[in-house]
Amino acid sequence: MIDVKQALAKIKAKIPKPSMQVVPLKDALGSVLALDVRAPLALPVFDNSAMDGFVLRSKDLLKASQRNKIRLKIVGDICAGDTKERKIKSGEAYRIMTGALIPAGGDTILIKENALVDAGYLVLDAPVQANQHIRRKGEELKRGERVLRKGTLIHPGTMGFMATLGLNRVKVFARPRVSVIATGSELVVPGKALKRGQIYESNSWMVRAALQDMNITPVEVKTVKDNLKTLRQTLKHVLQKSDVVILMGGVSVGEYDYVKTVLEELKVRKIFWRVKQKPGKPVYFGKLKQTLIFGLPGNPASVFTCFYKYVYPALRCMSGFPVAELENQAVTAEQDIGSDAKRTLLLKGKVYTVSGQRRVSALRHQGSHMLSSLCETNAFVVLPPKSRSIRRGDKVQVDLLPFGRTD
Ligand code: AMP
Ligand code: MG
């Protein structure tokens, strides 16, 4: 049996190179840029007013004072979006709105709040400095400048930035096509009544949500009974259209655990089965052509743990993220935590911040069949086999999950 580190290394070695795709900007949220982006235009696009007020020629006001008030004729309004070419002559001013083009000759803005208007004239009793409240063309960036690097995540800020550059299509790494199959004859979809011996199917909900959280819409989500024929048919079907297949349940040593049998029949190459860890020991990983196949033990806490520990980094890597694994940190333990002689413990934990110090507490209900603690989990407490038992106040390693604030 291999350990957690070896399992991660084996997965990493089998991940196919991400492919590229051009997508409409609106569909690019959560994707990663596959190419550097250069600015197709300068920003700001043109000299424009940063305030509502009046645009002037500062030269006209050099001699303005309390005793020598200067009157400028207000010759019109310039609104945001006005395209007309204008020129200010000596002795004139325009009323101007935020975002409107600066007319030729205008070199400064007097903000509306500071302006005295009298019978169509602006009255000034002091000079106005040049270059006030004007956003200059290209002051943020020049046309042709590299503004985003390959490997950048497209998040709401990036989205707005690319839109302001006028980009409506972007080259990103393709999102992996993922299928999810839950196995188990005892499973019932939430909303239906349970019969004797049945439970609600929760794993596919959890994994579908985890994928959605990564902006991946699974191509198939299915629940199948523990039946060789249906499992074979379903797998055959999804293998053809998936880059990653996530199977849940049926991968252990039970008489009706058919997953490994069917994968073997379909010529999936087993890379590993079973990892020295708790929970999730019977986790399986294989590959068929370019498709990765994960078999996660069906207990919900095992699915959760194995998903974030193994599937999540694989999907991040395939999506083109430069960093794929969960962020690891040493934080202060809130209680004593015992380790295990043989296996890495991956305990559900909650990391939080007290007076600037990050602490973690291992949550109650660690049983791999228990889900209530998942509502609070935002980290795994990682205890390698035979590691020194942790005392309250000691530092302990945690893997931070991609969701759940720690403050
Ligand atoms: P298995 O790995 O198939 O032996 O399943 C282990 C345990 O997890 C059993 O108690 C199953 O009933 C439970 N289980 C398996 N799959 C699911 C699922 N999709 N939703 C909820 N519980 C499950
Ligand atoms: Mg089962």
Side-chain angles (χ1 to χ4, degrees):
M1 231 195 286
I2 59 172
D3 65 26
V4 172
K5 274 211 175 96
Q6 291 167 318
L8 278 167
K10 282 181 188 284
I11 293 168
K12 210 169 172 186
K14 296 292 175 207
I15 292 173
K17 271 220 155 66
S19 54
M20 297 182 201
Q21 194 182 16
V22 176
V23 296
L25 183 62
K26 68 177 171 55
D27 299 333
L29 181 69
S31 291
V32 173
L33 283 175
L35 290 177
D36 290 352
V37 173
R38 291 189 177 276
L41 38 71
L43 287 183
V45 184
F46 49 87
D47 290 354
N48 68 92
S49 177
M51 300 293 276
D52 293 322
F54 295 87
V55 55
L56 329 163
R57 297 155 44 105
S58 57
K59 275 184 291 193
D60 287 353
L61 307 167
L62 292 176
K63 296 200 176 117
S65 70
Q66 281 288 354
R67 265 183 268 143
N68 180 33
K69 293 187 178 153
I70 292 179
R71 293 168 72 86
L72 299 177
K73 185 160 198 255
I74 302 167
V75 291
D77 289 1
I78 312 177
C79 299
D82 272 5
T83 54
K84 199 171 161 196
E85 277 195 39
R86 294 183 171 91
K87 191 169 184 247
I88 311 189
K89 296 192 207 107
S90 183
E92 291 179 352
Y94 277 95
R95 196 174 272 112
I96 193 164
M97 317 303 149
T98 305
L101 271 163
I102 302 293
D107 69 351
T108 197
I109 304 290
L110 176 71
I111 69 170
K112 190 173 181 180
E113 293 83 338
N114 295 345
L116 176 67
V117 177
D118 172 43
Y121 282 81
L122 201 55
V123 185
L124 296 118
D125 59 9
V128 177
Q129 267 192 19
N131 284 315
Q132 299 298 296
H133 309 296
I134 294 180
R135 306 158 171 166
R136 292 290 176 195
K137 175 177 177 176
E139 73 181 8
E140 185 180 359
L141 53 95
K142 308 273 175 278
R143 185 172 163 201
E145 207 176 302
R146 183 177 60 196
V147 286
L148 290 169
R149 278 178 189 275
K150 173 181 169 178
T152 301
L153 166 70
I154 299 171
H155 59 60
T158 334
M159 202 64 135
F161 180 58
M162 287 196 290
T164 205
L165 290 171
L167 303 169
N168 66 338
R169 297 161 72 73
V170 283
K171 193 153 199 175
V172 294
F173 290 113
R175 317 297 295 131
R177 296 166 306 160
V178 185
S179 293
V180 181
I181 304 173
T183 71
S185 301
E186 72 282 27
L187 306 172
V188 173
V189 65
K192 278 197 175 171
L194 289 179
K195 296 202 186 102
R196 199 174 149 77
Q198 296 183 325
I199 59 167
Y200 285 120
E201 196 281 306
S202 55
N203 286 337
S204 77
W205 295 79
M206 189 157 75
V207 169
R208 188 208 300 260
L211 294 169
Q212 284 172 341
D213 224 19
M214 305 177 76
N215 287 292
I216 294 172
T217 308
V219 289
E220 287 278 2
V221 180
K222 286 188 180 304
T223 301
V224 297
K225 297 214 180 317
D226 295 311
N227 172 294
L228 263 177
K229 209 170 132 202
T230 32
L231 185 58
R232 192 184 299 126
Q233 271 173 355
T234 311
L235 252 174
K236 245 187 176 166
H237 170 71
V238 303
L239 276 168
Q240 282 166 7
K241 52 176 182 177
S242 311
D243 302 307
V244 174
V245 176
I246 305 169
L247 287 142
M248 299 169 304
V251 75
S252 194
V253 294
E255 298 301 324
Y256 298 87
D257 287 345
Y258 293 133
V259 167
K260 288 202 306 324
T261 314
V262 172
L263 290 173
E264 218 166 282
E265 274 179 27
L266 296 175
K267 305 267 184 298
V268 173
R269 189 151 54 93
K270 181 183 98 177
I271 315 288
F272 65 75
W273 175 52
R274 299 200 291 182
V275 177
K276 287 187 255 175
Q277 65 175 48
K278 189 181 173 181
K281 182 176 85 169
V283 59
Y284 169 100
F285 176 60
K287 193 169 182 184
L288 179 68
K289 293 179 196 152
Q290 289 297 88
T291 303
L292 305 183
I293 297 103
F294 290 92
L296 314 184
N299 270 311
S302 306
V303 168
F304 184 84
T305 309
C306 292
F307 180 89
Y308 280 107
K309 200 69 197 163
Y310 301 120
V311 187
Y312 174 83
L315 290 173
R316 294 235 337 153
C317 221
M318 293 171 80
S319 306
F321 283 96
V323 177
E325 282 182 29
L326 295 174
E327 186 188 339
N328 189 262
Q329 263 190 15
V331 304
T332 307
E334 194 45 55
Q335 76 261 72
D336 297 353
I337 311 169
S339 63
D340 184 283
K342 296 207 177 96
R343 305 201 250 168
T344 299
L345 297 185
L346 296 162
L347 302 176
K348 285 161 276 179
K350 184 176 172 68
V351 172
Y352 51 94
T353 309
V354 186
S355 350
Q357 189 192 44
R358 271 191 170 176
R359 301 180 149 261
V360 66
S361 77
L363 295 163
R364 289 172 62 218
H365 302 313
Q366 291 287 339
S368 60
H369 56 298
M370 297 174 174
L371 287 94
S372 57
S373 48
L374 294 183
C375 305
E376 276 200 274
T377 302
N378 62 6
F380 297 133
V381 181
V382 186
L383 293 158
K386 295 197 208 83
S387 55
R388 193 172 54 83
S389 281
I390 298 294
R391 292 251 158 243
R392 178 163 196 253
D394 286 354
K395 290 280 184 195
V396 64
Q397 293 295 322
V398 297
D399 285 334
L400 295 173
L401 291 169
F403 58 86
R405 292 173 59 134
T406 55
D407 55 0

